[in-house]
Amino acid sequence: MSIESPCILVCAIDMKTGYCFGCGRTSAEIAGWIGYSPELRRAVMAELPARLAKLERKPRRETKRARIARERGEI
């Protein structure tokens, strides 16, 4: 039996809101997820779109490979 999860493997907590940038859960919800009932999981998941909308996403850092390609004019 698999457990339904909103995890998208982008695991980083926003220090301002306490929500994960990937799924919108708090660290406490992530830690306790396996023990939650299906009803509680669905209730948390219903809140996630509103939580994710509150997050201010910073632009991704440029990787070394992307910087080199940009400097060579390849991008």
Side-chain angles (χ1 to χ4, degrees):
M1 177 175 87
S2 66
I3 294 177
E4 187 176 16
S5 172
C7 182
I8 61 168
L9 301 176
V10 176
C11 305
I13 302 294
D14 176 42
M15 299 310 285
K16 185 176 180 181
T17 63
Y19 300 142
C20 173
F21 282 107
C23 67
R25 294 178 293 172
T26 66
S27 55
E29 289 167 339
I30 292 167
W33 196 254
I34 198 162
Y36 285 9
S37 68
E39 295 78 19
L40 182 53
R41 281 191 223 113
R42 283 195 281 288
V44 171
M45 289 175 65
E47 296 177 23
L48 300 181
R51 292 181 185 182
L52 289 169
K54 293 178 184 177
L55 294 175
E56 292 181 29
R57 299 186 193 278
K58 295 180 182 173
R60 293 189 84 152
R61 204 172 49 118
E62 184 177 42
T63 64
K64 183 177 180 180
R65 181 176 293 187
R67 180 182 53 80
I68 291 169
R70 179 180 50 77
E71 289 171 352
R72 289 182 179 164
E74 297 173 2
I75 294 181

